[in-house]
Amino acid sequence: MCGIVGYLGKKSATPILLSGLKRLEYRGYDSAGICVLENGALKTFKKEGPIKMLAAELDKQSLNSQIGIAHTRWATHGQPNETNAHPHYDCQHKIAVVHNGIIENFEGLKILLAKEGHKIVSETDSEVIAHLIEKFYHGDLEQAVLEAVKLLEGTFGLAVISESEKKLVAARRGSPLILGIGPDEIFIASDASAIIEYTNQVVYLEDNEIATISEQGYEVKSLDGHNANNQVTEIKWTIDEIEKSGFEHFMLKEIFEQPKTIANALRGRIKDGKIKLSVNFDAKKIDKIIITACGTSWHSALIGKYLLEKIAGMPTEVDYASEFRYRHPIVRDNNLLIVISQSGETADTLAALRETKNCQTLGIINSVGSTIAREVKSGIYLHAGPEIGVASTKAFTSQVASLILLALYIKEQISGELDQALSDELLIIPEKIQTILDQAENIKAISQNFVSAKNLLYLGRGINFPVALEGALKLKEVSYIHAEGYPAAEMKHGPIALIDKNMFVVFIVNHGPIFEKIVSNMQEVRARGGRIIAITDVKDAAVEKLSEFIITVPSVSEELSPLVNIIPLQLMSYYVASANGINVDKPRNLAKSVTVE
Ligand code: G6P
């Protein structure tokens, strides 16, 4: 959600800032801006629309500066336009600020600043920060930022530049920021992908920290002025992982990566007849698990509930993080709180974690070094590599694979026995997924039949009900076609009213004890003229008769079935959206990482 880049070094800042913005565009893409300090003056360029609009403008300039800040915006306060785009200025145009997060008391601050004669020109919550820094600026930018942020309520990741000093100041509370450390240069970024091209040495800023960067180096302090001792860490992934590698979109690349990313999630974790996880809770002392997450991660949490209850016999509750944090949840010392997040930065998930101090906490996280990863008591990294497509795909399957591992681990800790059959089967799941990816052309052809649909229903039962939810979410996110996921049997209690000859209904119909019951639900849909797309592992005459389209998936144990059933649904969403000419990697209004409430 919004992206920040800053640079101070010996190279020309503009191309570096621009390439950083392009890498961050997946986090916000409605407008962008850049500000560099050249010959003692701040020069700012802003454009509405994608980064390429700003790039075209910068092509016309011949800038030669070695210091600057830049921002790509995902609008919260005020329309996406040039005035509201960052950087924002003080009255004298001597201080410029880029901001991620939300300043909750900005209305009050605006009134206060206006009374003091400041002229606020944008509708944003961010502009007040530039004016506050101006108010406190007496020749020391760091000090002015320290004074200004004392008055801010809400969340911020900030980068600040001033005309009067060759320095950058970065500050963070609740919105991620890192420093990238090169031999003769220092970067600021809200996400490592912006700077990985230049350095893999990073310093994570913690909440309530400020960093001052000058030609002499960098210094990190707490917002109350004490020196901090943040270590330099090395990022393990490479630039290749954030390139499209010949695929038209990141989403498609990431769907196709899943055999590899699931294998990465499992690597070294099923060994010598044991599940190896670096978690530090005693499973025998846990009496209940609570899982909290948002979006796609919440869907994997729902699958986690089935897995933990079925495999490990562990009572499990699942909550949206945004609901959990405000509903006074009862969390006892013997409970285990699991937070699931691809980015490790989702504001509601982080807040839910921070609400819960008394029990063990475990993160299932993709982004190494992210805030949630650093704040949980122990964790399982997905090792899926950076996920760039806004719609989550490979992170979802790696989350599910990790939850299966966790359920197997807890069962083993409690009973002393590994479920050998299931863990053996889990290890060969990447091959099974590959067989579905090999059918991509067929799935693409089927998808062409509903590119103009207005509504779809996704129905599944048991562990595949959350898969139906996730399939519907994927379609909505990237194609803008309305889709709803439902437990198949619940359809009778409302959604059935929607079914007519224009309604496509996706059924997940797997072998097992409720197979016949789902076939009955299919009959109910057909009887009303609904058009059925079946995702099935069964060759069955009734399914064939009732379905207009069938996608066959490999037959696996129920616990593993979400991992195969989701693949055709991801592909269908992708093909429908791209047939409709949508920029699949940057669907409208969405953001990859939602760092505001
Ligand atoms: C946003 C993204 C979703 C994601 C959700 C939770 O809404 O667009 O794809 O599932 O945030 O993100 P997290 O990083 O916490 O998994």
Side-chain angles (χ1 to χ4, degrees), residues 21-202:
L21 285 186
K22 283 184 186 150
R23 301 255 181 233
L24 292 181
E25 199 172 15
Y26 73 106
R27 305 186 68 125
Y29 33 81
D30 58 41
S31 52
I34 186 170
C35 173
V36 294
L37 175 61
E38 190 174 81
N39 302 328
L42 292 182
K43 294 188 176 167
T44 297
F45 303 89
K46 306 196 215 182
K47 278 284 166 203
E48 187 183 329
I51 311 287
K52 63 180 184 207
M53 310 298 281
L54 179 67
E57 176 61 34
L58 291 171
D59 266 355
K60 296 182 213 150
Q61 313 295 327
S62 45
L63 296 170
N64 183 22
S65 160
Q66 287 73 44
I67 174 169
I69 56 174
H71 188 265
T72 175
R73 181 167 184 250
W74 184 89
T76 57
H77 296 63
Q79 299 279 315
N81 58 32
E82 276 183 31
T83 313
N84 291 333
H86 301 217
H88 291 290
Y89 269 114
D90 67 324
C91 296
Q92 308 295 319
H93 278 220
K94 290 191 167 176
I95 293 165
V97 172
V98 291
H99 166 229
N100 285 357
I102 289 184
I103 304 304
E104 287 165 1
N105 60 337
F106 81 103
E107 295 282 13
L109 291 170
K110 256 186 180 178
I111 295 167
L112 181 110
L113 287 160
K115 276 192 191 143
E116 293 180 2
H118 291 264
K119 298 252 174 314
I120 311 265
V121 294
S122 75
E123 300 160 277
T124 67
D125 55 326
S126 309
E127 191 188 342
V128 293
I129 305 168
H131 292 271
L132 283 175
I133 298 172
E134 175 181 32
K135 172 179 160 78
F136 294 112
Y137 187 76
H138 306 291
D140 183 343
L141 188 63
E142 180 188 278
Q143 194 52 37
V145 175
L146 279 170
E147 292 298 324
V149 298
K150 279 187 196 154
L151 299 183
L152 301 180
E153 285 168 20
T155 54
F156 54 81
L158 297 178
V160 188
I161 188 169
S162 121
E163 195 177 276
S164 322
E165 296 169 67
K166 196 169 179 191
K167 274 183 185 167
L168 297 177
V169 176
R172 128 162 219 181
R173 184 191 294 150
S175 199
L177 271 189
I178 59 169
L179 305 183
I181 315 296
D184 288 317
E185 54 195 359
I186 296 174
F187 304 80
I188 301 171
S190 51
D191 176 333
S193 56
I195 56 169
I196 189 71
E197 206 174 332
Y198 307 102
T199 179
N200 62 358
Q201 303 294 307
V202 300

Side-chain angles (χ1 to χ4, degrees), residues 36 40 76 91 139 184 208 233 243 256 259-260 272 302 315 321 339 374 382-383 386 432 475 548 579:
V36 294
T76 57
C91 296
D184 288 317
N208 296 310
T233 11
E243 301 284 359
F256 272 84
K260 188 180 87 193
D272 309 328
L302 292 176
V339 285
R374 283 178 288 130
L382 303 181
H383 301 305
K432 306 238 164 163
L475 189 76
E548 194 172 338

